[in-house]
Amino acid sequence: MKLLGLSDIHGNVEAVRKLRERARNEFDAVVVAGDIGGKAATEIMGILATFACPVMYVFGNWDRQLPYDSDFGSVCHHLHLRSVACGGWAFAGFSGIRASWGMNPIATALLQEVKGKHVAASPDNADYLSDLRKASEEAGRLNRRKLAAVVKGSPAGPSRTIVVTHDRLFRIESDLPDVPIHLFGHRHGFKMTTYKGTKFVNVSALDDFVTVRPSNKAGCGLDDLRNVNAGSYTIIEIDGDRVDARPIQFEPQLDGWAVVPDQKLSGVPWLREGELPK
Ligand SMILES: [Mn+2]
């Protein structure tokens, strides 16, 4: 089983195009662990759907405006509280995170209840804010409990289920025992850890960049700087009990440009293909 894992795309269509150009059709599934990026989601999912395999996804905090029944085509499967079979395995997860539930139905109902109770309260009323926080935590517990039931009832069984959420789940040995792999993003930067038999793989982040300057020019100004996509994605190979995950970073062509160390300036223009320093 070979998976292409990515997350934290943040609406960066260019990065997805680049990924599609360089990746071959060698995967059994593409897994998107959230933060597809609101308005660009349809375009992004359209590009990912051209891989010759199913696309499994959950929503993150950047996807707060996306309806849970969005239709991105028949090869794209929203894993929210359901399990989807693939190659003898199953994928299951939930969408939304505690900091931003978006259109998560459980959270929406709980948060509406709080708003109904505090209808006359000012937005910074302490009791109101405290109730909102409690409702959001409760939404987390309920989504997690429902996911546990979905995984338990999945035809593939927990030991053949890959759990996908946007933020990392903790202590999953308590209610998601036997799940061998948990894929997530949100906390930018690849990481794989093993805890109580589960591999935790942070597959993020596709949308990341470096700032570059002309390599041969002394005294560069702001106008000289460009940004280049330097995000990464993860290839995950599963063979029996062995799980192998390796991050792959975009290696931008930097003819005439040098990376500015420890400086990332958002708002600087993107480096165009073949562009040379002035
Ligand atoms: Mn996020």
Side-chain angles (χ1 to χ4, degrees):
M1 180 90 154
K2 196 169 189 178
L3 308 175
L4 172 61
L6 59 147
S7 82
D8 299 82
I9 303 166
H10 303 151
N12 189 338
V13 179
E14 246 349 274
V16 180
R17 272 202 202 103
K18 258 187 205 169
L19 162 72
R20 186 62 192 97
E21 277 164 22
R22 54 151 62 198
R24 284 178 292 146
N25 278 325
E26 55 180 332
F27 304 105
D28 298 294
V30 173
V31 181
V32 185
D35 277 6
I36 302 162
K39 286 189 189 113
T42 303
E43 195 176 359
I44 286 168
M45 295 303 276
I47 297 168
L48 295 177
T50 65
F51 278 102
C53 65
V55 180
M56 314 287 180
Y57 67 93
V58 294
F59 290 149
N61 47 304
W62 271 65
D63 309 312
R64 62 178 74 87
Q65 286 171 349
L66 294 175
Y68 276 37
D69 60 354
S70 296
D71 185 358
F72 298 117
S74 60
V75 300
C76 299
H77 305 278
H78 191 187
L79 299 177
H80 180 67
L81 297 181
R82 67 194 191 101
S83 95
V84 177
C86 176
W89 285 76
F91 292 82
F94 65 75
S95 279
I97 67 172
R98 207 179 270 185
S100 175
W101 285 109
M103 295 196 184
N104 182 290
I106 292 171
T108 302
L110 288 169
L111 294 169
Q112 274 307 327
E113 217 173 279
V114 172
K115 281 173 192 154
K117 185 178 151 196
H118 294 276
V119 91
S122 69
D124 58 354
N125 177 282
D127 288 342
Y128 174 52
L129 292 176
S130 161
D131 280 356
L132 279 180
R133 200 163 43 241
K134 281 183 206 151
S136 186
E137 278 170 25
E138 179 64 5
R141 270 192 293 277
L142 291 177
N143 274 282
R144 188 180 160 118
R145 193 182 302 163
K146 279 209 166 185
L147 173 60
V150 166
V151 170
K152 216 173 165 189
S154 140
S159 65
R160 299 279 282 179
T161 299
I162 295 163
V163 164
V164 186
T165 55
H166 181 50
D167 201 0
R168 186 195 201 277
L169 298 175
F170 287 89
R171 289 182 295 280
I172 68 176
E173 75 279 5
S174 60
D175 51 357
L176 287 161
D178 307 323
V179 165
I181 308 160
H182 170 34
L183 303 180
F184 60 96
H186 187 58
R187 299 150 189 257
H188 297 181
F190 171 85
K191 200 172 182 186
M192 178 157 78
T193 52
T194 308
Y195 184 69
K196 302 214 170 172
T198 302
K199 296 268 187 212
F200 291 79
V201 186
N202 182 346
V203 299
S204 73
L206 193 75
D207 176 44
D208 197 2
F209 64 90
V210 289
T211 300
V212 295
R213 61 170 185 81
S215 49
N216 291 324
K217 188 171 174 180
C220 292
L222 205 52
D223 284 354
D224 295 311
L225 302 178
R226 296 289 181 273
N227 280 337
V228 184
N229 202 298
S232 66
Y233 50 94
T234 301
I235 291 179
I236 302 139
E237 288 185 82
I238 306 163
D239 186 5
D241 288 341
R242 198 178 58 82
V243 178
D244 206 40
R246 61 196 158 93
I248 298 185
Q249 196 176 16
F250 287 123
E251 280 158 36
Q253 292 299 310
L254 290 178
D255 297 338
W257 299 89
V259 174
V260 182
D262 305 320
Q263 282 261 36
K264 288 208 278 188
L265 297 171
S266 53
V268 165
W270 292 99
L271 182 68
R272 280 173 286 119
E273 196 100 16
E275 181 183 347
L276 291 170
K278 282 180 283 181

